[in-house]
């Protein structure tokens, strides 16, 4: 069991930047594969980015590649998402998620075992 708490969301103008953080409580944070997902009103939750246990592999959705950066600090038990060049279509609730047993389907929400409550990101035009 692990608890995840996101922070850093808010209102930002298009073209601006925002950094999201996810604090994990519990043991063996470095044992978990981590990801970020987002969900806009009326839409399904979609994959944003994911990172392996020791940051050896990183994955991004095409829609955010080149603009977003996922990172983790296992010593601090923290996951981050740096978002640059934000667009109105990035508006969504952003969730961090943890996977105990990564099986290769980083883009599927069902892959993950634990979820945070989410943080709202609103990008104005």
């Amino acid at each position: 069991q692990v608890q995840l708490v996101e922070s850093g969301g808010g209102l930002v103008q298009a073209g601006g930047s925002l950094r999201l953080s996810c604090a994990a409580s519990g043991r063996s944070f470095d044992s978990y594969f981590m990801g970020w997902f987002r969900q806009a009103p009326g839409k399904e939750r979609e994959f944003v980015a994911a990172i392996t246990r020791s940051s050896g592999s990183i994955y991004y959705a095409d829609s955010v590649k080149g603009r977003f950066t996922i990172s983790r600090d296992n010593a601090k038990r923290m996951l981050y998402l740096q978002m640059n060049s934000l667009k109105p279509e990035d508006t969504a609730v952003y969730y961090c998620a943890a996977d105990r047993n990564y099986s290769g389907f980083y883009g599927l929400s069902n892959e993950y075992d634990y979820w945070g409550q989410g943080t709202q990101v609103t990008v104005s035009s």
Side-chain angles (χ1 to χ4, degrees):
Q1 174 265 326
V2 61
Q3 290 186 310
L4 306 173
V5 181
E6 303 94 337
S7 62
L11 176 64
V12 64
Q13 296 183 82
S17 298
L18 210 59
R19 188 193 69 157
L20 304 184
S21 298
C22 175
S25 63
R27 62 179 181 175
S28 301
F29 174 77
D30 60 348
S31 295
Y32 299 117
F33 182 91
M34 301 293 296
W36 285 99
F37 285 75
R38 66 187 183 186
Q39 187 167 25
K43 293 191 175 183
E44 290 189 32
R45 186 159 49 190
E46 67 173 343
F47 168 75
V48 175
I51 188 168
T52 52
R53 295 164 181 80
S54 56
S55 303
S57 296
I58 295 174
Y59 310 94
Y60 295 103
D62 288 341
S63 59
V64 307
K65 194 172 297 182
R67 300 188 298 122
F68 291 11
T69 302
I70 187 173
S71 62
R72 65 190 294 165
D73 187 331
N74 291 341
K76 295 181 177 180
R77 294 185 291 182
M78 295 288 290
L79 177 73
Y80 305 100
L81 184 68
Q82 178 66 45
M83 306 184 293
N84 298 326
S85 302
L86 283 162
K87 305 174 181 179
E89 51 262 46
D90 294 318
T91 296
V93 176
Y94 284 71
Y95 301 89
C96 66
D99 181 8
R100 294 175 297 176
N101 305 107
Y102 177 60
S103 56
F105 301 99
Y106 59 83
L108 299 178
S109 60
N110 287 164
E111 171 73 29
Y112 299 83
D113 302 294
Y114 306 106
W115 294 85
Q117 291 298 305
T119 184
Q120 175 70 233
V121 171
T122 302
V123 184
S124 62
S125 59

